[in-house]
Amino acid sequence: MVSTKKWALASAVAAAIALPATALATTAGYFQLGYSTISDGMAGASAALPQDSMIQATNPAGIAFVGSRLDLGVAGFWPYRGYSSGTAGTAGCSAQGCSPMPNPGSYGSNGDFFLIPHIGYTQRLSHDNYVGLAIYGNGGMSTNYHYPAATTGANGGPVPGGPFYDGQTGVNLQQLFIQATYARKFMRHDSLGLSLIVARQTFSADGLSGFSRYSANPGSLSGRGSATSDGVGFKVGGQFRILPGIDLGIAYSPRMTMSKFNAYSGLFAGGGRFDIPANGVVGLAFKPTAHQVLAFDFQRIYYNDVPAIADPINGLLTGAKLGSAGGPGFGWQNISVYKLGYQIALNHAVTGRVGFAYNTQPIPASQVLFNILAPGVIQRHVTAGVTVRTARHQDVSVAAMYGLPQSVYGNAPAGFGGAPIKISLHEYQLEANWGWKF
């Protein structure tokens, strides 16, 4: 049995490292809604409801109630994102002209399918001590607009002779987390946990040469291929029984300082720095009967911590340069995420789940111009899932998610022509997981 477990874990880790952190569009901003198939069936409401080894990605303390377990899962993700733009005016344009500005029309991003793998492992060391390892995609963003030269001008851009985005345009941000966890159980229903997280980001951007005049380093703005950024962070968590049938889970991860994307030092504020925002969650799990659970999570994501994400684009019109200290970014604001899930054991082998999540809007109407590249506007998700026990110590889970269509309407800044712009997104996800408890 020991050799079998070692082989399974080694194979799982090798497979995860071989797979890239697949590019996502968005869920809660650009973070994932949940990190396991079971969690996703309940719209991510899991901070106080540990059920598989991936709980450590939400709340490290939860592994003390999972025991020894291996989870292998993958999600198919279909995001449909795009934008529409009206005609830009000329009144109020900056002295440098009205370029960059979007061409009138409606455009959809190419690349509508992604695979998102996850692997989790937990091991009971003693009655009170547990360790775990998880490998997963934390979040990301991908857009890819293509403008044929035959229809938009010789340069292939949406604005002939002065492109806002030139030719094939978009960004691709991927985040891979490798998380090692220790948890200790202090009482029958209480535990504390700590995770060390090693993160790697990859990023590429194309078609942004129209912003060259606004960059502190135009040679490191666009078309530099794939760049990487690494960092180390941590997450702390606790799980407590506050009343019979009511559990509380709480976890927090501070801002993770990442190395700079040197190849894109002319795009991201601070010479290419793109840190991972602080985030925290508080959850409750209420068990009215032995077969039912109602779970609720409140999550806060602090996008304002990171200048490259939070600084508004309007600074370009007051002399701030892309890539400079305090330079313009995507103008995102902090968000609150509310997740509600219901679970019922239909019989000894089948458990069903449904969920709903709502988050506040990260992108203000005043920031739609730059967020054509990152239309993370989804606010509502509905989910459903089921787990079937296939053998004495094994189970298979599936979950489905639908991100309801959402749009944000605004205008480009007057200095960029003031064109009306709408950015939009809706998404689907279908996920499966095999779990083995040993």
Side-chain angles (χ1 to χ4, degrees):
M1 174 65 75
V2 174
S3 62
T4 302
K5 288 191 292 185
K6 288 182 177 179
W7 176 87
L9 178 60
S11 299
V13 172
I17 294 174
L19 287 170
T22 308
L24 313 182
T26 60
T27 48
Y30 72 82
F31 277 40
Q32 288 208 63
L33 197 63
Y35 295 97
S36 77
T37 305
I38 290 176
S39 170
D40 283 338
M42 302 180 69
S46 59
L49 188 62
Q51 300 190 81
D52 59 32
S53 59
M54 287 301 299
I55 183 60
Q56 59 196 293
T58 300
N59 184 356
I63 68 169
F65 303 97
V66 173
S68 299
R69 182 179 170 96
L70 174 67
D71 287 280
L72 307 176
V74 65
F77 186 62
W78 293 264
Y80 298 94
R81 55 260 191 253
Y83 77 94
S84 299
S85 175
T87 302
T90 56
C93 286
S94 68
Q96 295 176 320
C98 284
S99 172
M101 59 186 177
N103 199 46
S106 296
Y107 304 92
S109 173
N110 299 313
D112 297 326
F113 176 71
F114 305 98
L115 288 174
I116 309 169
H118 68 257
I119 293 177
Y121 174 79
T122 51
Q123 178 70 56
R124 176 181 173 178
L125 301 179
S126 67
H127 182 268
D128 295 325
N129 296 282
Y130 299 79
V131 293
L133 177 70
I135 305 173
Y136 57 96
N138 179 65
M141 177 67 64
S142 173
T143 50
N144 181 11
Y145 300 100
H146 183 66
Y147 305 93
T151 60
T152 57
N155 61 12
V159 183
F164 169 46
Y165 304 119
D166 51 337
Q168 188 163 319
T169 300
V171 299
N172 187 10
L173 172 68
Q174 308 169 19
Q175 292 181 340
L176 173 67
F177 276 21
I178 301 177
Q179 179 172 343
T181 302
Y182 169 76
R184 180 175 176 83
K185 190 184 295 184
F186 290 93
M187 299 178 67
R188 184 179 179 187
H189 300 291
D190 299 341
S191 68
L192 295 174
L194 172 66
S195 291
L196 176 69
I197 302 171
V198 177
R200 163 156 284 200
Q201 300 182 120
T202 62
F203 178 79
S204 62
D206 292 292
L208 305 184
S209 62
F211 284 100
S212 294
R213 70 180 71 172
Y214 302 100
S215 174
N217 186 1
S220 296
L221 171 67
S222 179
R224 298 297 307 277
S226 183
T228 61
S229 168
D230 300 296
V232 177
F234 68 92
K235 179 173 287 191
V236 295
Q239 173 111 10
F240 312 98
R241 174 65 51 87
I242 56 176
L243 288 172
I246 302 179
D247 292 328
L248 169 70
I250 184 168
Y252 178 74
S253 181
R255 172 178 169 178
M256 192 181 304
T257 301
M258 305 294 291
S259 61
K260 294 181 179 181
F261 286 117
N262 291 321
Y264 291 94
S265 60
L267 175 60
F268 292 132
R273 186 170 298 283
F274 196 98
D275 293 340
I276 295 174
N279 60 96
V281 62
V282 177
L284 290 171
F286 171 56
K287 302 176 182 178
T289 72
H291 304 291
Q292 300 180 75
V293 184
L294 188 66
F296 173 77
D297 281 10
F298 169 77
Q299 182 183 21
R300 186 73 171 166
I301 304 175
Y302 298 94
Y303 290 120
N304 277 356
D305 282 355
V306 182
I309 301 173
D311 289 353
I313 192 175
N314 308 63
L316 291 178
L317 300 175
T318 58
K321 295 285 190 177
L322 290 167
S324 64
F330 289 87
W332 284 32
Q333 52 197 4
N334 297 342
I335 66 170
S336 297
V337 190
Y338 307 87
K339 309 174 185 180
L340 181 64
Y342 172 73
Q343 175 176 290
I344 182 169
L346 301 174
N347 54 49
H348 75 283
V350 180
T351 300
R353 303 176 184 89
V354 293
F356 175 78
Y358 170 83
N359 59 264
T360 55
Q361 179 57 247
I363 301 175
S366 61
Q367 301 301 307
V368 291
L369 177 65
F370 217 28
N371 281 289
I372 289 172
L373 295 171
V377 297
I378 287 278
Q379 293 185 263
R380 298 178 301 278
H381 293 83
V382 293
T383 67
V386 64
T387 294
V388 178
R389 194 169 300 165
T390 57
R392 184 178 179 185
H393 299 293
Q394 299 180 46
D395 56 68
V396 173
S397 300
V398 295
M401 179 270 287
Y402 174 48
L404 279 69
Q406 183 73 44
S407 299
V408 170
Y409 297 82
N411 292 83
F416 293 142
I421 298 172
K422 177 182 76 171
I423 54 176
S424 303
L425 175 67
H426 68 281
E427 57 196 19
Y428 304 87
Q429 181 170 291
L430 184 62
E431 184 175 357
N433 183 88
W434 171 76
W436 176 31
K437 192 168 185 177
F438 46 86

